[in-house]
């Protein structure tokens, strides 16, 4: 079983910055895509940013130029640097990791989420 642990998040003012980090743990053999999603109150969960094992990243249009996703393949961690935050970025942010366990089974694991609140 693969678990995903998130850290970071919190309360920040508009135009402030926050950094989220995520690390999978358990019987991980390899990790393919790692990404961040968010869910605001009353809305569906949406993709924020994702990065492949090759380092290719994709972002939601709303965060391009403000957020940066990065990955440490040695430590199997993924981070999301969020700059120029806006009140509309307020949401619960979830980390997702996809890959293979040491027994060859695919996994698609989610963290429990971390709250990001941007005050105006």
């Amino acid at each position: 079983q693969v678990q995903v642990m998130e850290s970071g998040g919190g309360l920040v003012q508009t135009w402030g910055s926050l950094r989220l980090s995520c690390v999978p743990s358990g019987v991980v053999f390899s990790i393919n895509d790692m990404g961040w999603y968010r869910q605001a109150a009353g809305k569906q969960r949406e993709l924020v940013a994702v990065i492949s094992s090759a380092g290719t990243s994709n972002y939601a249009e709303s965060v391009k130029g403000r957020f940066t996703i990065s990955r440490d393949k040695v430590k199997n961690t993924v981070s999301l640097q969020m700059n120029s935050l806006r009140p509309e970025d307020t949401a619960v942010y979830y980390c997702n990791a996809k890959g293979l366990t040491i027994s060859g089974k695919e996994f698609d694991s989610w963290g429990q989420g971390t709250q990001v609140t941007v005050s105006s």
Side-chain angles (χ1 to χ4, degrees):
Q1 185 176 359
V2 176
Q3 297 179 332
V4 176
M5 298 294 293
E6 300 134 334
S7 61
L11 174 64
V12 66
Q13 292 184 332
T14 300
W15 301 115
S17 297
L18 284 173
R19 185 176 183 88
L20 306 181
S21 294
C22 167
V23 57
S25 64
V27 289
V28 177
F29 176 73
S30 64
I31 300 176
N32 298 325
D33 291 351
M34 298 183 76
W36 290 94
Y37 295 73
R38 67 186 180 187
Q39 187 168 17
K43 296 187 177 181
Q44 291 187 334
R45 190 174 298 187
E46 62 176 2
L47 172 71
V48 176
V50 63
I51 186 166
S52 71
S53 58
T56 302
S57 57
N58 286 294
Y59 296 89
E61 285 295 327
S62 60
V63 306
K64 282 183 180 179
R66 301 187 298 123
F67 291 12
T68 302
I69 190 169
S70 59
R71 179 170 177 169
D72 185 326
K73 294 186 69 176
V74 175
K75 297 180 180 179
N76 278 338
T77 59
V78 64
S79 298
L80 185 69
Q81 178 66 42
M82 305 184 293
N83 298 326
S84 302
L85 283 161
R86 306 166 179 168
E88 54 264 39
D89 295 316
T90 295
V92 178
Y93 284 69
Y94 297 90
C95 180
N96 175 261
K98 298 180 176 66
L100 290 175
T101 66
I102 58 175
S103 61
K105 291 185 177 181
E106 294 183 345
F107 69 85
D108 183 350
S109 298
W110 293 86
Q112 292 190 334
T114 184
Q115 178 70 46
V116 171
T117 303
V118 185
S119 63
S120 57

